[in-house]
Amino acid sequence: MIRTLIVDDQSMIRVGIRAILEAQDDITVVGEAENGRLGVQRSRSLRPDVVLMDVRMPVLDGLAATRELLGPDRAEGHTPRVLMLTTFDLDDYIYAALQAGASGFLLKDSEPEDLLRAVRVVAGGEALLAPSITRRLIENFVSARPRRPAGATALNGLTDREREVLRLLALGRSNAEIAASLFIAEQTTKTHVSRILQKLGLRDRVQAVVFGYETGLVTPGGQA
């Protein structure tokens, strides 16, 4: 059973999301919170698997709350996956949330089936990558930021194959698509991805995408 916590300052949004989630046999809602501060507190006490986190909220916004939940001061023994809830006009918040360790984001006007898929994907340990949106967000902001020399140096610790896998991953390719491009087994791709994340100290695929752009391995507008 996937345990979820809904953090949003709009009661109607919380009610709607709860109704969708609790209609499923494999998902339950363990609590709600109307601001980021309560969200952090209830996450630490209720220990959900996935926190659905709004971006703009009073008291403590979703970005700051995500940093508290996933940063160095996070509660020991419990690190939930954070799925950000947003709208198209909050790109800067979302990019910062991905850097803070959020596992992905979902637009508030998404269809119910997209919400359910997102929760299941994130709960399963994967990052939610909607290539057309995630890539646009990252390209827009990385193109305006300096590259990370230290990160580029870290690339030297990867094998040639791992660098190629990371490049395709940063372009938003799935494991199956990477495997097909490189003519390798999908399980081999999964192994490469795991080693890349471990070597670079990255939390998940979303952070790998950010890393790929920030280090210049992939450039805005680049193609596989």
Side-chain angles (χ1 to χ4, degrees):
M1 184 68 72
I2 301 172
R3 295 164 53 83
T4 62
L5 173 69
I6 304 169
V7 185
D8 194 295
D9 63 328
Q10 299 181 55
S11 60
M12 290 186 65
I13 294 291
R14 297 198 306 273
V15 169
I17 292 176
R18 176 184 278 273
I20 294 170
L21 297 182
E22 293 199 325
Q24 307 303 304
D25 294 333
D26 60 334
I27 302 174
T28 187
V29 177
V30 298
E32 300 178 11
E34 60 267 28
N35 61 64
R37 174 56 59 210
L38 287 175
V40 171
Q41 294 172 356
R42 289 175 184 168
S43 177
R44 289 173 175 171
S45 63
L46 298 171
R47 304 173 73 83
D49 301 307
V50 177
V51 177
L52 291 92
M53 182 79 74
D54 187 20
V55 174
R56 284 185 173 176
M57 292 181 289
V59 185
L60 188 71
D61 65 33
L63 177 56
T66 297
R67 285 175 175 156
E68 285 198 26
L69 286 176
L70 305 179
D73 297 328
R74 63 182 181 274
E76 291 186 12
H78 177 246
T79 305
R81 311 287 290 187
V82 175
L83 179 62
M84 304 299 298
L85 303 176
T86 187
T87 55
F88 275 114
D89 62 344
L90 296 175
D91 287 359
D92 53 339
Y93 285 91
I94 292 306
Y95 183 77
L98 296 179
Q99 286 187 311
S103 293
F105 65 93
L106 190 72
L107 299 176
K108 284 191 174 183
D109 60 357
S110 296
E111 296 297 323
E113 54 267 29
D114 293 329
L115 169 64
L116 296 172
R117 174 181 173 273
V119 169
R120 290 175 178 131
V121 166
V122 168
E126 292 292 329
L128 183 70
L129 286 175
S132 63
I133 301 174
T134 303
R135 187 174 170 185
R136 176 180 61 84
L137 289 172
I138 293 172
E139 286 190 357
N140 285 347
F141 286 89
V142 172
S143 62
R145 294 166 183 259
R147 292 183 178 179
R148 295 169 49 182
T153 300
L155 289 174
N156 295 331
L158 302 181
T159 65
D160 290 342
R161 175 64 84 189
E162 288 169 345
R163 287 171 66 97
E164 183 61 15
V165 169
L166 177 59
R167 187 181 72 82
L168 293 174
L169 192 160
L171 287 169
R173 302 295 186 264
S174 67
N175 285 343
E177 291 169 334
I178 294 173
S181 295
L182 300 180
F183 302 101
I184 58 178
E186 188 171 346
Q187 183 57 49
T188 301
T189 299
K190 292 180 180 178
T191 299
H192 282 312
V193 171
S194 294
R195 288 177 178 169
I196 289 167
L197 297 181
Q198 182 179 24
K199 285 184 177 182
L200 298 178
L202 303 174
R203 178 180 171 81
D204 55 30
R205 297 172 73 95
V206 172
Q207 288 198 326
V209 173
V210 173
F211 183 91
Y213 278 95
E214 287 189 332
T215 56
L217 183 64
V218 176
T219 56
Q223 299 294 324

